[in-house]
Amino acid sequence: MVIKWKVTLPELTGNEERTAYLYLPESYNYEPYKRYPVLYMFDGHNVFFDSDATYGKCWGMKEYMDYTNTQLIIAAVECNHSPDNGRLREYSPYSFVDPKLGTIEGYGKRTMDWMVHTFKKDIDSRFRTLPDREHTFIAGSSMGGLMSLYAILEYNPYFSRAAALSPSIWFATDKLKNMIEYAKLQPDTIVYMDYGSRELHHHVNMASQFASVTAQLLERNIMLESRIVPGGNHCEASWEKQIPFFMNTLMYQP
């Protein structure tokens, strides 16, 4: 079951409403004392329904969760669709200058502060979650993938595991490396990160940058699953195929 309602992000877009999504396992309705881990996801409009997805194709998370009977709540919020690089600003952990886009002021910290102090607080108060760090995960793709890395690094007291699919590690690489180097991490931190083989050519030196970030995460003793996806591309249809891989990482129990 997926519940939809409207939320506002006053720190970012004032009173402008956007859609929040919440997936509940079937067992939620007939096991009234059971509590569940929570996966927070970026680009909520692309997670569950083709009719809401930007390009008419969603990840298909509901179908996967129902079919596998995965005992997990998923909470997601629609991105900023402003043509003035709204999504890019909200999903950038830092400000940067781009030859084509000009100066982009990154509001990633505002986004994450709202997510952990407002959205997560609301989800934990209204639903039967396991609110502790051990049972709280985060995931996203592209800029949402970069934000997932940012969240696990800078908001590690809240998230123990992250999945970063096709993360946008191609810009401001020095700032990303600095963030990884100085992050305060707990020893049980787990990250899944992938990149599609067909999208490696989209940015110069992408393969080497992916290898560099992977190596640095391992140096920080993060437990990492890293993949180059055969035939993978930068789209929801490709990310949908990776769901079993990153979900196995997020839900893995030794």
Side-chain angles (χ1 to χ4, degrees):
M1 175 174 62
V2 176
I3 301 169
K4 299 168 66 172
W5 72 99
K6 296 296 183 180
V7 297
T8 60
L9 281 69
E11 302 88 340
L12 293 164
T13 48
N15 293 324
E16 180 180 330
E17 293 185 331
R18 63 183 78 179
T19 304
Y21 300 79
L22 190 89
Y23 172 84
L24 295 173
E26 183 180 349
S27 62
Y28 191 91
N29 292 322
Y30 59 79
E31 296 188 41
Y33 300 106
K34 185 172 183 176
R35 291 186 171 272
Y36 299 80
V38 182
L39 168 62
Y40 292 87
M41 295 188 70
F42 295 98
D43 293 308
H45 55 292
N46 290 334
V47 175
F48 299 110
F49 303 112
D50 289 346
S51 57
D52 291 351
T54 303
Y55 302 107
K57 176 69 184 79
C58 74
W59 287 45
M61 286 298 297
K62 180 183 183 301
E63 288 73 16
Y64 174 85
M65 299 293 287
D66 287 346
Y67 180 76
T68 58
N69 195 31
T70 301
Q71 299 300 289
L72 175 76
I73 291 173
I74 300 177
V77 178
E78 182 180 7
C79 78
N80 185 341
H81 297 289
S82 168
D84 184 27
N85 298 306
R87 178 179 180 273
L88 184 59
R89 295 178 192 277
E90 289 188 6
Y91 286 1
S92 178
Y94 27 68
S95 300
F96 64 97
V97 178
D98 183 89
K100 295 181 180 179
L101 302 175
T103 299
I104 298 295
E105 186 174 357
Y107 296 152
K109 185 179 187 303
R110 296 187 196 180
T111 301
M112 286 308 307
D113 283 347
W114 177 86
M115 183 173 285
V116 299
H117 298 305
T118 300
F119 189 53
K120 182 181 185 304
K121 184 177 180 180
D122 181 50
I123 297 300
D124 290 336
S125 66
R126 293 171 56 193
F127 301 95
R128 298 195 311 274
T129 68
L130 292 167
D132 57 294
R133 174 184 177 276
E134 180 183 355
H135 297 97
T136 305
F137 318 136
I138 194 161
S141 62
S142 192
M143 289 301 295
L146 179 63
M147 282 292 286
S148 297
L149 289 177
Y150 173 57
I152 200 71
L153 294 168
E154 296 298 310
Y155 291 78
N156 199 258
Y158 300 94
F159 303 98
S160 61
R161 303 185 182 197
L165 285 72
S166 304
S168 298
I169 59 176
W170 47 267
F171 73 88
T173 53
D174 289 341
K175 292 183 178 180
L176 175 59
K177 291 179 180 178
N178 188 69
M179 187 165 62
I180 297 173
E181 182 177 357
Y182 293 104
K184 297 179 180 179
L185 303 172
Q186 296 192 33
D188 60 344
T189 301
I190 296 173
V191 170
Y192 169 95
M193 187 170 71
D194 70 20
Y195 215 81
S197 64
R198 292 182 179 176
E199 58 177 327
L200 287 174
H201 69 279
H202 292 176
H203 303 284
V204 178
N205 299 322
M206 190 62 237
S208 61
Q209 289 176 8
F210 185 86
S212 177
V213 171
T214 297
Q216 194 176 10
L217 292 173
L218 289 172
E219 288 172 1
R220 290 304 318 275
N221 295 319
I222 287 175
M223 290 175 276
L224 176 70
E225 179 172 351
S226 176
R227 301 172 60 235
I228 297 296
V229 179
N233 218 326
H234 201 84
C235 64
E236 279 71 23
S238 182
W239 297 325
E240 179 180 15
K241 294 178 181 178
Q242 313 321 311
I243 294 175
F245 295 94
F246 76 77
M247 286 298 296
N248 285 342
T249 298
L250 295 179
M251 298 298 291
Y252 177 78
Q253 294 297 325

Coordinates of all heavy atoms in Angstrom, one line a residue, residues 1-5 20-32 34-41 47-49 61-76 119 122-130 247:
M1 N 0.8 -1.2 0.0 CA 0.0 0.0 0.0 C 0.9 1.2 0.0 O 1.9 1.3 0.7 CB -0.9 0.0 1.2 CG -1.7 1.3 1.4 SD -2.9 1.1 2.8 CE -1.8 0.9 4.2
V2 N 0.5 2.2 -0.8 CA 1.3 3.5 -0.9 C 0.3 4.6 -0.5 O -0.8 4.8 -1.2 CB 1.9 3.7 -2.3 CG1 2.5 5.1 -2.3 CG2 2.9 2.6 -2.6
I3 N 0.7 5.4 0.5 CA -0.1 6.5 0.9 C 0.5 7.8 0.3 O 1.8 7.9 0.3 CB -0.1 6.6 2.4 CG1 -0.7 5.3 3.1 CG2 -0.9 7.8 2.9 CD1 -0.5 5.3 4.6
K4 N -0.3 8.7 -0.1 CA 0.2 10.0 -0.7 C -0.4 11.2 0.1 O -1.6 11.1 0.4 CB -0.1 10.1 -2.2 CG 0.5 9.0 -3.0 CD -0.1 9.0 -4.4 CE 0.2 10.2 -5.2 NZ -0.3 10.1 -6.6
W5 N 0.4 12.2 0.4 CA -0.2 13.4 1.0 C 0.7 14.6 0.6 O 1.8 14.4 0.0 CB -0.3 13.2 2.5 CG 1.0 13.2 3.3 CD1 1.5 14.3 4.0 CD2 1.8 12.1 3.5 NE1 2.7 13.9 4.6 CE2 2.9 12.6 4.4 CE3 1.8 10.8 3.1 CZ2 3.9 11.7 4.8 CZ3 2.8 9.9 3.5 CH2 3.9 10.4 4.3
A20 N 4.3 13.7 -0.8 CA 5.1 12.7 0.0 C 4.4 11.4 -0.3 O 3.2 11.3 -0.5 CB 5.1 13.1 1.4
Y21 N 5.3 10.3 -0.3 CA 4.8 9.0 -0.5 C 5.3 8.1 0.6 O 6.4 8.2 1.1 CB 5.4 8.4 -1.8 CG 5.1 9.2 -3.1 CD1 5.7 10.4 -3.4 CD2 4.1 8.7 -4.0 CE1 5.4 11.1 -4.5 CE2 3.8 9.4 -5.1 CZ 4.5 10.6 -5.4 OH 4.2 11.3 -6.5
L22 N 4.4 7.1 1.0 CA 4.8 6.2 2.0 C 4.3 4.8 1.7 O 3.1 4.6 1.5 CB 4.2 6.6 3.4 CG 4.8 5.7 4.5 CD1 6.1 6.4 5.1 CD2 3.8 5.6 5.7
Y23 N 5.3 3.9 1.6 CA 4.9 2.5 1.3 C 4.9 1.7 2.6 O 5.8 1.8 3.4 CB 6.0 1.8 0.4 CG 5.7 0.3 0.3 CD1 4.8 -0.2 -0.7 CD2 6.4 -0.6 1.1 CE1 4.6 -1.6 -0.7 CE2 6.2 -2.0 1.0 CZ 5.3 -2.4 0.1 OH 5.0 -3.8 0.0
L24 N 3.8 1.0 2.8 CA 3.6 0.1 4.0 C 3.4 -1.3 3.5 O 2.6 -1.6 2.6 CB 2.4 0.5 4.8 CG 2.4 1.9 5.4 CD1 1.0 2.2 6.0 CD2 3.5 2.0 6.5
P25 N 4.2 -2.3 4.1 CA 4.0 -3.7 3.8 C 2.6 -4.1 4.1 O 1.9 -3.6 5.0 CB 5.1 -4.4 4.7 CG 6.0 -3.3 5.1 CD 5.2 -2.0 5.1
E26 N 2.1 -5.2 3.5 CA 0.8 -5.7 3.7 C 0.6 -6.1 5.2 O -0.4 -5.9 5.8 CB 0.6 -6.9 2.8 CG -0.8 -7.5 3.0 CD -1.1 -8.7 2.1 OE1 -0.2 -9.0 1.2 OE2 -2.1 -9.4 2.2
S27 N 1.7 -6.6 5.8 CA 1.6 -7.1 7.2 C 1.3 -5.9 8.2 O 0.9 -6.2 9.3 CB 2.9 -7.7 7.6 OG 4.0 -6.8 7.5
Y28 N 1.5 -4.7 7.7 CA 1.3 -3.5 8.6 C -0.1 -3.5 9.2 O -0.3 -3.1 10.3 CB 1.6 -2.2 7.9 CG 1.7 -1.0 8.8 CD1 2.9 -0.6 9.4 CD2 0.6 -0.2 9.0 CE1 3.0 0.5 10.2 CE2 0.6 0.9 9.9 CZ 1.9 1.2 10.4 OH 1.9 2.3 11.3
N29 N -1.1 -3.9 8.3 CA -2.5 -3.9 8.7 C -2.9 -5.0 9.6 O -3.9 -4.8 10.3 CB -3.3 -3.8 7.4 CG -3.2 -2.6 6.7 OD1 -3.0 -1.5 7.2 ND2 -3.1 -2.7 5.3
Y30 N -2.2 -6.1 9.6 CA -2.7 -7.2 10.5 C -1.7 -7.7 11.6 O -1.9 -8.6 12.3 CB -3.1 -8.4 9.6 CG -2.0 -9.0 8.7 CD1 -1.1 -9.9 9.2 CD2 -2.0 -8.7 7.4 CE1 -0.1 -10.4 8.4 CE2 -1.0 -9.3 6.6 CZ -0.1 -10.1 7.1 OH 0.9 -10.7 6.3
E31 N -0.6 -6.9 11.7 CA 0.3 -7.2 12.8 C 0.5 -5.9 13.6 O 1.5 -5.1 13.4 CB 1.7 -7.7 12.3 CG 1.6 -9.1 11.6 CD 2.9 -9.7 11.3 OE1 3.8 -9.5 12.2 OE2 3.1 -10.2 10.2
P32 N -0.5 -5.5 14.4 CA -0.5 -4.2 15.0 C 0.6 -3.8 15.9 O 0.7 -2.6 16.3 CB -1.9 -4.2 15.7 CG -2.2 -5.6 16.0 CD -1.6 -6.4 14.8
K34 N 3.9 -4.8 15.3 CA 5.1 -4.9 14.6 C 5.6 -3.6 14.2 O 4.9 -2.7 13.8 CB 5.0 -5.8 13.4 CG 6.3 -6.1 12.6 CD 6.0 -7.1 11.6 CE 7.4 -7.4 10.9 NZ 7.2 -8.5 9.8
R35 N 7.0 -3.4 14.3 CA 7.6 -2.1 13.9 C 8.6 -2.4 12.8 O 9.1 -3.6 12.7 CB 8.3 -1.4 15.1 CG 7.3 -0.9 16.1 CD 8.0 -0.1 17.2 NE 7.0 0.6 18.0 CZ 6.5 1.8 17.7 NH1 6.9 2.5 16.7 NH2 5.6 2.3 18.5
Y36 N 8.9 -1.4 12.0 CA 9.6 -1.7 10.7 C 10.8 -0.7 10.5 O 10.7 0.5 10.9 CB 8.6 -1.5 9.5 CG 7.5 -2.4 9.5 CD1 6.3 -2.2 10.3 CD2 7.4 -3.6 8.7 CE1 5.3 -3.0 10.3 CE2 6.3 -4.4 8.7 CZ 5.3 -4.2 9.5 OH 4.2 -5.0 9.5
P37 N 11.8 -1.2 9.9 CA 12.9 -0.3 9.4 C 12.3 0.7 8.4 O 11.2 0.4 7.8 CB 13.9 -1.2 8.8 CG 13.5 -2.6 9.2 CD 12.1 -2.6 9.5
V38 N 13.0 1.8 8.1 CA 12.5 2.8 7.1 C 13.6 3.1 6.1 O 14.8 3.4 6.6 CB 12.0 4.1 7.8 CG1 11.5 5.0 6.8 CG2 11.0 3.8 8.8
L39 N 13.3 3.1 4.9 CA 14.2 3.5 3.8 C 13.6 4.9 3.3 O 12.5 4.9 2.8 CB 14.2 2.5 2.7 CG 14.9 3.0 1.4 CD1 16.3 3.3 1.6 CD2 14.7 1.9 0.3
Y40 N 14.4 5.9 3.4 CA 14.1 7.2 2.8 C 14.7 7.3 1.4 O 15.8 6.9 1.2 CB 14.6 8.3 3.7 CG 13.9 8.4 5.0 CD1 14.3 7.6 6.1 CD2 12.7 9.2 5.2 CE1 13.6 7.6 7.3 CE2 12.0 9.2 6.4 CZ 12.5 8.4 7.4 OH 11.8 8.4 8.6
M41 N 13.9 7.8 0.5 CA 14.3 7.9 -0.9 C 14.1 9.3 -1.5 O 13.2 10.0 -1.1 CB 13.6 6.9 -1.8 CG 13.9 5.4 -1.4 SD 13.3 4.2 -2.5 CE 14.3 4.5 -4.0
V47 N 9.5 7.0 -7.7 CA 9.7 5.7 -7.0 C 8.6 4.7 -7.2 O 8.9 3.5 -7.4 CB 9.8 6.0 -5.5 CG1 10.0 4.7 -4.7 CG2 11.1 6.9 -5.2
F48 N 7.3 5.1 -7.2 CA 6.2 4.1 -7.2 C 5.3 4.0 -8.4 O 4.9 3.0 -8.8 CB 5.4 4.4 -6.0 CG 6.1 4.2 -4.7 CD1 6.3 5.3 -3.9 CD2 6.5 3.0 -4.2 CE1 7.0 5.2 -2.7 CE2 7.2 2.9 -3.0 CZ 7.4 4.0 -2.2
F49 N 5.1 5.2 -9.0 CA 4.0 5.2 -10.1 C 4.5 5.8 -11.4 O 5.0 6.9 -11.4 CB 2.8 6.0 -9.6 CG 2.2 5.5 -8.3 CD1 2.3 6.3 -7.1 CD2 1.6 4.3 -8.2 CE1 1.8 5.8 -5.9 CE2 1.0 3.8 -7.0 CZ 1.1 4.6 -5.9
M61 N 9.1 0.3 -7.3 CA 9.5 -0.2 -5.9 C 8.3 -0.9 -5.3 O 8.5 -1.9 -4.6 CB 9.9 1.0 -5.0 CG 11.3 1.5 -5.3 SD 12.6 0.3 -5.0 CE 12.5 0.0 -3.3
K62 N 7.1 -0.5 -5.5 CA 5.9 -1.1 -4.9 C 5.8 -2.6 -5.3 O 5.6 -3.5 -4.5 CB 4.6 -0.4 -5.2 CG 3.4 -1.0 -4.6 CD 2.1 -0.3 -5.0 CE 0.9 -0.9 -4.3 NZ 0.7 -2.3 -4.6
E63 N 5.9 -2.8 -6.6 CA 5.8 -4.2 -7.2 C 6.9 -5.1 -6.6 O 6.6 -6.2 -6.2 CB 5.9 -4.1 -8.7 CG 4.7 -3.6 -9.4 CD 4.6 -2.1 -9.3 OE1 5.6 -1.4 -8.9 OE2 3.5 -1.5 -9.5
Y64 N 8.1 -4.5 -6.5 CA 9.2 -5.3 -5.9 C 8.9 -5.7 -4.5 O 9.1 -6.8 -4.0 CB 10.5 -4.6 -6.1 CG 11.7 -5.3 -5.4 CD1 12.4 -6.4 -6.0 CD2 12.0 -5.0 -4.0 CE1 13.4 -7.0 -5.4 CE2 13.0 -5.7 -3.4 CZ 13.7 -6.7 -4.0 OH 14.7 -7.4 -3.4
M65 N 8.5 -4.7 -3.7 CA 8.3 -4.9 -2.3 C 7.2 -5.8 -2.0 O 7.3 -6.7 -1.2 CB 8.0 -3.5 -1.6 CG 9.1 -2.5 -1.7 SD 10.6 -3.0 -0.8 CE 10.0 -2.7 0.9
D66 N 6.1 -5.7 -2.8 CA 4.9 -6.6 -2.6 C 5.3 -8.1 -3.0 O 5.0 -9.0 -2.3 CB 3.8 -6.2 -3.5 CG 3.1 -4.9 -3.0 OD1 3.3 -4.6 -1.8 OD2 2.3 -4.3 -3.7
Y67 N 6.0 -8.2 -4.1 CA 6.4 -9.5 -4.6 C 7.3 -10.3 -3.7 O 7.2 -11.5 -3.4 CB 7.1 -9.4 -6.0 CG 7.5 -10.7 -6.6 CD1 6.5 -11.6 -7.2 CD2 8.8 -11.1 -6.6 CE1 6.9 -12.8 -7.7 CE2 9.2 -12.4 -7.2 CZ 8.2 -13.2 -7.7 OH 8.6 -14.4 -8.2
T68 N 8.3 -9.5 -3.1 CA 9.3 -10.1 -2.2 C 8.9 -10.1 -0.7 O 9.5 -10.7 0.1 CB 10.6 -9.4 -2.3 OG1 10.4 -8.0 -2.0 CG2 11.2 -9.5 -3.7
N69 N 7.7 -9.4 -0.5 CA 7.3 -9.4 0.9 C 8.3 -8.8 1.9 O 8.5 -9.2 3.0 CB 6.8 -10.7 1.4 CG 5.9 -10.6 2.7 OD1 5.2 -9.6 2.9 ND2 6.0 -11.6 3.5
T70 N 9.1 -7.8 1.4 CA 10.1 -7.2 2.2 C 9.5 -6.4 3.3 O 8.7 -5.5 3.0 CB 11.0 -6.3 1.3 OG1 11.6 -7.1 0.2 CG2 12.1 -5.7 2.1
Q71 N 9.9 -6.6 4.5 CA 9.3 -6.0 5.7 C 10.1 -4.6 6.0 O 10.9 -4.5 6.9 CB 9.4 -6.9 6.9 CG 8.6 -8.2 6.7 CD 7.1 -8.0 6.4 OE1 6.4 -7.6 7.3 NE2 6.7 -8.2 5.2
L72 N 9.6 -3.6 5.2 CA 10.3 -2.3 5.3 C 9.3 -1.3 4.8 O 8.5 -1.4 3.9 CB 11.5 -2.4 4.3 CG 12.3 -1.0 4.1 CD1 13.2 -0.8 5.3 CD2 13.1 -1.1 2.8
I73 N 9.4 -0.1 5.5 CA 8.6 1.1 5.1 C 9.5 1.9 4.2 O 10.7 2.0 4.5 CB 8.2 1.9 6.4 CG1 7.1 1.1 7.2 CG2 7.7 3.2 6.0 CD1 6.7 1.8 8.5
I74 N 8.9 2.5 3.2 CA 9.7 3.4 2.3 C 9.0 4.8 2.4 O 7.8 4.9 2.1 CB 9.7 2.9 0.9 CG1 10.4 1.6 0.8 CG2 10.4 3.9 0.0 CD1 10.4 1.0 -0.6
A75 N 9.7 5.8 2.7 CA 9.2 7.2 2.7 C 10.0 8.0 1.7 O 11.2 8.0 1.7 CB 9.4 7.8 4.1
A76 N 9.3 8.7 0.9 CA 9.9 9.5 -0.2 C 9.2 10.8 -0.4 O 7.9 10.9 -0.2 CB 10.0 8.7 -1.5
F119 N 10.7 15.7 8.4 CA 10.0 14.6 7.7 C 10.2 13.3 8.5 O 9.2 12.6 8.8 CB 10.6 14.4 6.3 CG 9.9 13.4 5.5 CD1 8.5 13.5 5.3 CD2 10.5 12.4 4.8 CE1 7.8 12.6 4.5 CE2 9.8 11.5 4.0 CZ 8.5 11.6 3.9
D122 N 8.1 13.3 11.6 CA 6.7 13.1 11.3 C 6.4 11.6 11.1 O 5.4 11.0 11.6 CB 6.3 13.9 10.1 CG 4.8 13.8 9.8 OD1 4.0 13.9 10.7 OD2 4.5 13.5 8.6
I123 N 7.3 11.0 10.2 CA 7.1 9.5 9.9 C 7.1 8.7 11.2 O 6.3 7.8 11.4 CB 8.1 9.1 8.9 CG1 8.0 9.8 7.6 CG2 8.0 7.5 8.7 CD1 6.7 9.7 6.9
D124 N 8.1 8.9 12.0 CA 8.3 8.2 13.3 C 7.1 8.3 14.2 O 6.8 7.4 15.0 CB 9.6 8.5 14.0 CG 10.8 8.0 13.2 OD1 10.7 7.1 12.4 OD2 11.9 8.6 13.4
S125 N 6.5 9.5 14.2 CA 5.4 9.8 15.1 C 4.0 9.2 14.6 O 3.2 8.8 15.5 CB 5.2 11.3 15.4 OG 4.8 11.9 14.2
R126 N 3.9 9.1 13.3 CA 2.6 8.6 12.8 C 2.6 7.1 12.4 O 1.5 6.6 12.3 CB 2.3 9.4 11.5 CG 2.1 10.9 11.7 CD 2.0 11.7 10.4 NE 1.0 11.1 9.5 CZ 0.9 11.4 8.2 NH1 1.8 12.2 7.7 NH2 0.0 10.9 7.5
F127 N 3.7 6.5 12.3 CA 3.8 5.1 11.8 C 4.7 4.3 12.8 O 5.5 4.8 13.5 CB 4.2 5.0 10.4 CG 3.4 5.8 9.4 CD1 3.7 7.1 9.1 CD2 2.2 5.3 8.9 CE1 2.9 7.9 8.2 CE2 1.4 6.0 8.1 CZ 1.7 7.3 7.7
R128 N 4.5 3.0 12.7 CA 5.2 2.1 13.6 C 6.6 1.8 13.0 O 6.8 0.7 12.4 CB 4.4 0.8 13.8 CG 3.0 1.0 14.5 CD 2.4 -0.3 15.0 NE 2.4 -1.3 14.1 CZ 1.5 -1.5 13.2 NH1 0.5 -0.7 13.1 NH2 1.5 -2.5 12.3
T129 N 7.5 2.7 13.2 CA 8.8 2.5 12.7 C 9.8 2.0 13.7 O 9.5 2.1 14.9 CB 9.4 3.9 12.1 OG1 9.6 4.8 13.3 CG2 8.4 4.5 11.2
L130 N 10.9 1.6 13.3 CA 12.1 1.4 14.2 C 13.0 2.6 13.9 O 13.7 2.7 13.0 CB 12.8 0.1 13.8 CG 12.1 -1.2 14.1 CD1 12.7 -2.4 13.5 CD2 12.0 -1.4 15.6
M247 N 18.8 -3.6 -2.5 CA 17.9 -4.0 -1.4 C 18.6 -5.1 -0.5 O 18.4 -5.1 0.7 CB 16.5 -4.4 -1.9 CG 15.7 -3.2 -2.3 SD 15.3 -2.0 -0.9 CE 14.4 -3.1 0.1

